[in-house]
Amino acid sequence: MKTEILHNFTSRSRAATADEAQRGKFRSAMDFLIAKRAAQFPDPTEWAELRESGQQIRQRALAYLPKLLVQFEQKAQQNGMTVHWAETPLEANQIIHGILQRQQVRTLIKGKSMVSEEIELNQYLQAHSIQALESDMGEFIVQMADEKPSHIIMPAIHKSKQEIAALFAAEIDDTPYTEDVDELIQIGRQALRQQFFNADAGLSGVNFAIAETGTLCLVENEGNGRLSTSCPRVHIAITGIEKMLENLADLPTLLTLLTRSATGQPITTYVNLISGPRRADEQDGPEEVHIVLLDNGRSQAYADVQLRQTLQCIRCGACMNHCPVYTRIGGHAYGTTYPGPIGSIISPHLLGLAETRDLPSASTLCGACGDVCPVKIPIPELLLRLRVENVTRAGTKDHPAVMRGQGAKYRLSEKLAWQAWSLLNTTPALYLASRRSAAGLRHLIPSVKAWTQARVMPKIAPQSLHELIKAHQEQKS
């Protein structure tokens, strides 16, 4: 996967915090989303019961994931769909490109799909002379601006209405500049409407895949998902392997948790359940439906019982909305498809810990992300676990290899320093000697730049407290 320069998280986050206008947009947007979500969960007892149910459903599905994936494939094939398996983003891109080539597709219309962002599908298809057009309004805006989504639910949340108005006026023919939000929405809709019917194929993401029936569930508010999956003659859906549910009875609980947590709605305008291509007696729908099941590091997370909890995520974005770090630096500073707290625990599996080494530390560990997670993912605990994996070498007797890039921040000098500190504080004679010598050697202590950038360097007193008390008692006597 072609990635941005992930190691520059520090410089990107500094630039983001220095942008006062950008901070203001994110602050107001997050406050709005927090208030809308809170209004949807006024009863703490109901909230606690729903969370418990959601967690159990997701953990049960993950416990039987290998079996459910096989069951889903069988049911989907019985329904007339074609199932494809992709281990890497490149394989997923090649599969989709192959389908489009066989169908001689030149234009692909896309519903919202973060997994397609994860594999950088648009860029891959563009390099092979196939146009991929985003139809979700937020995605449409960021594609037009040649940017990436800054939020998994609201991709263009970093843009003001003035910026969108200027973008539309510049990029869409015969479009006057207007800051009226309703007019801007209508301009976008008119620009997209005919594209649904002109496109040869449509692509969508998947919110949940039901193994019992081989059904794909897709929620949305704009109707673009329904048009993308029903107007073109070919529909391709792409999803991570973790989106499986055991049966349809599990769906209502997760739907209410997802929509209330994500957008503060009791339910979205559209809930699409797709179980196959158009039947002989049906008037609309695609002639072919393909499903691409993507791994891309998810099996790595699955193999570890604690890290597996990462895969419970239903992509509501509530953890991002409540994160003080995300609110200040926005989504682009992370440099990954999935920003915020959930991105900091899922991206190390998708890209490797070496490429995302700074993300587990991009948190205050205030716990807000874990408190609002509708399926009770212990995000702060997982961040701490990744910090440990960051500084621990893999493959040792006491620490087996669990993920790519493990030990990315390991330093022998740091390890020796902590071993010395431990020895010093567990050996009374050494501790006493060091205490007596610390005052005399205090001028030799080097400065610690990273620590002292925002703090005053502590100074060791010429005499210890014990020495001062002893001197005081001698003087008094």
Side-chain angles (χ1 to χ4, degrees):
M1 179 180 176
K2 179 185 174 184
T3 59
E4 293 188 1
I5 305 171
L6 299 176
H7 300 309
N8 287 337
F9 171 77
T10 302
S11 58
R12 286 196 302 269
S13 57
R14 280 180 183 160
T17 52
D19 188 338
E20 190 173 347
Q22 190 81 331
R23 288 206 326 268
K25 282 185 279 188
F26 272 96
R27 179 72 272 169
S28 60
M30 296 305 107
D31 287 345
F32 174 73
L33 291 170
I34 289 171
K36 286 196 71 177
R37 176 198 163 277
Q40 287 296 325
F41 295 109
D43 183 347
T45 302
E46 186 218 12
W47 162 241
E49 291 175 353
L50 274 174
R51 283 187 88 204
E52 185 66 26
S53 296
Q55 181 193 38
Q56 290 179 7
I57 290 169
R58 290 300 295 135
Q59 289 188 342
R60 172 162 44 84
L62 290 173
Y64 298 106
L65 184 59
K67 174 186 169 186
L68 296 183
L69 285 166
V70 173
Q71 183 184 2
F72 174 81
E73 181 182 34
Q74 292 172 345
K75 291 292 181 182
Q77 288 173 341
Q78 289 172 11
N79 293 339
M81 297 189 274
T82 304
V83 179
H84 307 264
W85 300 82
E87 185 175 351
T88 65
L90 177 60
E91 284 185 14
N93 281 326
Q94 289 173 337
I95 289 169
I96 295 170
H97 182 221
I99 296 168
L100 300 179
Q101 271 190 319
R102 285 193 296 275
Q103 294 293 331
Q104 298 183 327
V105 171
R106 308 314 308 167
T107 305
L108 176 76
I109 189 89
K110 292 178 62 190
K112 190 168 181 300
S113 165
M114 291 307 295
V115 177
S116 74
E117 294 284 348
E118 177 185 326
I119 66 173
E120 298 189 336
L121 176 65
N122 290 7
Q123 294 86 339
Y124 185 91
L125 293 181
Q126 186 178 12
H128 292 80
S129 304
I130 295 177
Q131 181 191 15
L133 179 64
E134 300 287 352
S135 64
D136 172 87
M137 189 57 65
E139 293 275 2
F140 177 65
I141 292 167
V142 296
Q143 184 182 35
M144 191 180 297
D146 196 21
E147 297 175 352
K148 295 203 170 190
S150 58
H151 192 283
I152 63 173
I153 300 297
M154 301 183 177
I157 203 167
H158 59 287
K159 287 202 165 299
S160 67
K161 64 180 180 182
Q162 292 81 6
E163 291 171 326
I164 296 170
L167 184 67
F168 279 10
E171 299 292 334
I172 301 177
D173 293 340
D174 303 323
T175 300
Y177 180 92
T178 175
E179 295 181 6
D180 186 290
V181 174
D182 291 335
E183 288 185 22
L184 288 171
I185 294 294
Q186 289 305 318
I187 291 169
R189 283 180 175 173
Q190 288 172 10
L192 284 169
R193 193 70 181 178
Q194 190 57 40
Q195 300 296 333
F196 292 107
F197 301 96
N198 294 340
D200 303 305
L203 184 137
S204 73
V206 176
N207 291 104
F208 303 106
I210 295 98
E212 177 189 32
T213 57
T215 302
L216 306 174
C217 177
L218 178 64
V219 298
E220 45 139 350
N221 281 312
E222 300 173 16
N224 65 303
R226 181 161 295 182
L227 289 169
S228 300
T229 58
S230 59
C231 288
R233 54 189 168 84
V234 178
H235 170 213
I236 304 170
I238 182 168
T239 181
I241 57 174
E242 80 280 16
K243 295 288 185 69
M244 289 293 145
L245 294 184
E246 189 173 10
N247 50 57
L248 271 175
D250 292 334
L251 190 57
T253 299
L254 293 180
L255 278 181
T256 193
L257 281 169
L258 172 60
T259 60
R260 291 159 81 178
S261 299
T263 55
Q265 294 173 280
I267 193 68
T268 48
T269 308
Y270 297 90
V271 177
N272 305 290
L273 294 175
I274 302 167
S275 295
R278 180 174 59 191
R279 268 62 170 180
D281 59 344
E282 293 177 337
Q283 295 185 347
D284 55 19
E287 298 168 7
E288 291 185 13
V289 176
H290 297 262
I291 307 158
V292 181
L293 298 172
L294 177 67
D295 186 325
N296 192 26
R298 289 163 173 85
S299 292
Q300 174 186 275
Y302 186 80
D304 185 283
V305 173
Q306 185 185 22
L307 298 175
R308 183 184 301 175
Q309 297 172 97
T310 306
L311 304 179
Q312 291 173 209
C313 179
I314 57 174
R315 303 290 192 272
C316 69
C319 61
M320 299 160 60
N321 304 341
H322 291 75
C323 176
V325 175
Y326 175 87
T327 301
R328 280 159 182 77
I329 67 175
H332 290 155
Y334 290 83
T336 53
T337 301
Y338 307 99
I342 186 59
S344 296
I345 61 172
I346 188 67
S347 299
H349 297 289
L350 308 184
L351 301 169
L353 195 51
E355 296 293 331
T356 56
R357 64 188 70 182
D358 292 327
L359 299 188
S361 300
S363 168
T364 63
L365 297 179
C366 66
C369 52
D371 290 344
V372 299
C373 177
V375 288
K376 298 179 73 171
I377 301 175
I379 297 176
E381 293 176 22
L382 296 178
L383 288 168
L384 286 173
R385 169 70 189 279
L386 291 172
R387 291 183 187 186
V388 171
E389 301 302 341
N390 234 341
V391 297
T392 308
R393 279 200 303 184
T396 63
K397 180 181 177 182
D398 300 327
H399 210 93
V402 294
M403 60 193 310
R404 280 188 298 143
Q406 194 171 337
K409 284 191 168 182
Y410 171 82
R411 299 287 182 275
L412 179 60
S413 57
E414 184 176 351
K415 179 181 179 180
L416 293 176
W418 283 112
Q419 286 180 339
W421 182 89
S422 176
L423 181 66
L424 187 69
N425 286 277
T426 55
T427 309
L430 278 176
Y431 180 79
L432 186 61
S434 67
R435 195 195 70 189
R436 287 173 176 168
S437 60
L441 300 175
R442 66 184 187 279
H443 299 298
L444 301 179
I445 297 176
S447 62
V448 186
K449 288 184 178 178
W451 177 260
T452 54
Q453 279 177 348
R455 303 173 180 85
V456 176
M457 182 72 180
K459 294 180 180 178
I460 297 177
Q463 289 180 292
S464 70
L465 179 61
H466 285 192
E467 290 170 339
L468 287 172
I469 293 173
K470 184 178 179 181
H472 176 72
Q473 290 174 337
E474 288 176 352
Q475 185 179 17
K476 191 175 179 181
S477 62

